[in-house]
Amino acid sequence: KPKSFRATLYPFGSDLEDEAHALCRWLRARKFNLQETIQMVNEATEMRRIPSQSNFYPDPKAALGVEPSVYVSQYPQLYTGHCKLGTPLFISKPGVL
């Protein structure tokens, strides 16, 4: 698969998430149906194509000023897409701190 497909699989960077966890996250979203999962990743890759061309997704280390793993360890929360109703999905793990 092209590099863009892999970048879609690892939106947080492969240093924060190993291959098994990244793939399982995508498979769970489609109830472990491989064909639907591949289709979903292809659609997500296409959606990221235009913003990526205009550098919409900056280098996380440069944007944060620290390694992403350090930031996530201090602020265990993130926006990660949208729910079925279209509202932003926010994940927060305050008990981790």
Side-chain angles (χ1 to χ4, degrees):
K1 291 286 180 178
K3 188 176 180 180
S4 59
F5 187 88
R6 189 165 184 77
T8 303
L9 284 177
Y10 295 102
F12 310 116
S14 59
D15 59 329
L16 295 176
E17 183 175 51
D18 63 12
E19 184 176 13
H21 287 99
L23 293 173
C24 189
R25 188 168 38 79
W26 286 93
L27 285 164
R28 269 194 318 252
R30 290 296 174 246
K31 299 184 179 173
F32 294 90
N33 182 315
L34 183 59
Q35 294 304 318
E36 288 181 9
T37 301
I38 292 171
Q39 179 183 348
M40 181 175 66
V41 174
N42 283 330
E43 290 170 359
T45 301
E46 182 59 27
M47 287 181 66
R48 292 172 52 110
R49 185 179 57 81
I50 294 172
S52 294
Q53 289 173 348
S54 60
N55 199 21
F56 183 77
Y57 303 106
D59 174 34
K61 185 176 179 182
L64 297 172
V66 296
E67 290 291 333
S69 58
V70 173
Y71 182 83
V72 171
S73 71
Q74 299 299 312
Y75 301 98
Q77 53 196 12
L78 53 101
Y79 286 96
T80 181
H82 296 84
C83 75
K84 291 180 180 180
L85 300 175
T87 59
L89 181 61
F90 181 73
I91 297 175
S92 179
K93 296 166 54 177
V96 174
L97 291 177

